[in-house]
Amino acid sequence: MNISKYLGLALVGACTLTACNKGGRSATNPGKYSSTTGIEYNTDEGMKVSDYQGIPEGPGLVFIEGGRTVLGSAEEDVAMSHDNLERTVTLASFYMDEVEVANIHWLEYLHYVRKDSAEEFYMSALPDTTVWARELSFNDPYVDYYLRYPGFRYFPVVGVSWLQANDFCTWRTAKVNERLASDASEDGGGSRKGGLFGRKKNKGGDAAEGTSEDGGVKIAIENGNTLPNYRLPTEAEWEYAAQALIGTQETGNENQENKRIYPWDGRQVRNPYGKNQGQFLANFKRGRGDYAGIAGSLNDGAMITEQVFSYPPNDYGLYNMAGNVNEWVQDIYRPLSYEDVEDLNPFRRNGYLDPSEKYDKKGYQSLIDDHVRVYKGGSWRDVAYWLSPGTRRFMAEDSATATIGFRCAMINAGSNK
């Protein structure tokens, strides 16, 4: 063995023992000792550093790889709103529900709310089933049956306001993290002892950090065994996920050479391929009085909403990102958001730029204030124009209809992948 080989082995050994090992540190492998102070972690003197194997899997979520895209309306602006002109932005990776929140999910929410929350809050969490009622239409059965009848379990929940949807996200975060924290506790025990909303207090601890002043669960973020908050997606996240341009991207090519009018390829709303050729790809209204076609040859097959797993998913694996029900997003509505928001993770929040005082709502010259929220995607009652991801509308955050539902999203914490 020559001397150069010995020197190589010595260098490898030194690298392993010193700098190279430090360079290999990561969130899942922080090392035994601090690279700042040299103090050993998880000792009486050292800081507690929990084991972390990456973000836990969130129930119902699909990973959405972020990147650069062009947001904005890709169709002729027939509404003449000019409120979503094309511009290039970048979105960080995130997670989104595979399907719209369904009636069975909302009934589960009501089940737990009734168990551990004030009756007043339970009543406020009930969807407005009267959204189905129409003076000149016999939709009366849906008022009584749509939410609770077992046959409608996996139809999207409707009659839910933006405020109610946010409360659902808060409850879902707490409930999922309660389970994760309990699973990760040393003795395998621990359960929620107090209420979340209004709030039935009981004594007792939690596997994570104990109970908060209102009887809820205190979760230590540093433990790494719980999830970030479930929340409504931002408008930009929703539009990006609906585009699903990852399905058109060629490997190794940084140019986005294709754009989609809808969450699928082509300019048509029918499937152009295979044995399902000619079938509609979303649940929408084809024309005046035509919600589903003729018996024996139904077009989208749904007179009202349809089950949340109906129709083919887009290239991110998301179902019904066009049609079925519109979906609430986080943003307040402003017509010039596309000009004002930043080009990295754009989001329109309350109370910043373009103040509501500029809009004459009191004089009935405008519908815009700080309590109107954007909704996207088109519904069973909308024509095909509204299925395009770039279209946008708005409604008061405390209002509800039979055409608007929602799905949840979550940040991808600690990773750019």
Side-chain angles (χ1 to χ4, degrees), residues 361-381:
K361 189 167 186 178
K362 291 183 178 179
Y364 302 102
Q365 300 302 306
S366 175
L367 297 173
I368 299 174
D369 62 16
D370 286 338
H371 301 283
V372 292
R373 302 286 174 168
V374 178
Y375 63 90
K376 308 271 287 182
S379 77
W380 60 272
R381 200 170 183 175

Side-chain angles (χ1 to χ4, degrees), residues 7 16 111 129 251 269 288 365 393:
L7 285 173
T16 303
H111 165 77
T129 60
T251 304
V269 292
R288 183 173 178 84
Q365 300 302 306
R393 288 175 285 181

Side-chain angles (χ1 to χ4, degrees), residues 138-370:
F138 186 68
N139 291 340
D140 304 40
Y142 300 133
V143 175
D144 296 324
Y145 286 92
Y146 182 83
L147 174 64
R148 298 182 182 276
Y149 188 73
F152 287 115
R153 280 176 177 164
Y154 279 93
F155 282 61
V157 68
V158 297
V160 172
S161 71
W162 183 93
L163 296 173
Q164 288 176 307
N166 272 273
D167 285 340
F168 176 92
C169 294
T170 301
W171 165 81
R172 186 178 179 186
T173 301
K175 206 65 184 173
V176 170
N177 281 338
E178 174 195 346
R179 178 184 60 80
L180 290 172
S182 179
D183 291 346
S185 65
E186 291 183 359
D187 59 4
S191 61
R192 182 179 202 81
K193 300 296 183 181
L196 179 62
F197 297 106
R199 321 253 203 173
K200 295 180 181 177
K201 298 182 182 179
N202 289 304
K203 294 182 180 180
D206 181 81
E209 286 287 292
T211 48
S212 61
E213 292 182 0
D214 67 355
V217 174
K218 278 179 70 176
I219 298 294
I221 296 175
E222 294 86 352
N223 286 348
N225 56 17
T226 56
L227 286 165
N229 291 340
Y230 284 88
R231 56 172 174 81
L232 292 178
T234 67
E235 181 178 3
E237 286 174 336
W238 195 99
E239 187 173 329
Y240 176 83
Q243 289 178 346
L245 293 176
I246 192 170
T248 69
Q249 186 62 30
E250 296 180 11
T251 304
N253 182 0
E254 280 206 53
N255 294 321
Q256 190 66 65
E257 297 173 352
N258 297 291
K259 190 169 175 63
R260 287 171 164 167
I261 302 299
Y262 304 110
W264 52 80
D265 291 340
R267 302 188 63 89
Q268 69 281 343
V269 292
R270 295 179 184 268
N271 192 331
Y273 308 113
K275 63 180 182 180
N276 295 320
Q277 185 174 3
Q279 293 185 8
F280 277 73
L281 293 167
N283 177 17
F284 66 102
K285 184 178 179 180
R286 187 162 66 173
R288 183 173 178 84
D290 185 1
Y291 290 85
I294 61 174
S297 184
L298 298 177
N299 53 42
D300 63 39
M303 286 71 172
I304 55 166
T305 56
E306 180 55 282
Q307 297 194 61
V308 294
F309 285 101
S310 300
Y311 312 101
N314 72 6
D315 286 313
Y316 277 125
L318 303 173
Y319 290 82
N320 289 295
M321 293 298 285
N324 213 24
V325 289
N326 292 287
E327 298 178 18
W328 289 114
V329 297
Q330 277 199 55
D331 301 50
I332 65 166
Y333 177 82
R334 289 294 187 271
L336 297 182
S337 287
Y338 69 91
E339 287 186 351
D340 297 334
V341 295
E342 296 193 16
D343 58 2
L344 174 64
N345 299 325
F347 170 58
R348 183 106 224 179
R349 67 181 75 246
N350 288 17
Y352 188 74
L353 291 180
D354 203 3
S356 60
E357 291 76 14
K358 291 172 57 176
Y359 299 90
D360 185 14
K361 189 167 186 178
K362 291 183 178 179
Y364 302 102
Q365 300 302 306
S366 175
L367 297 173
I368 299 174
D369 62 16
D370 286 338

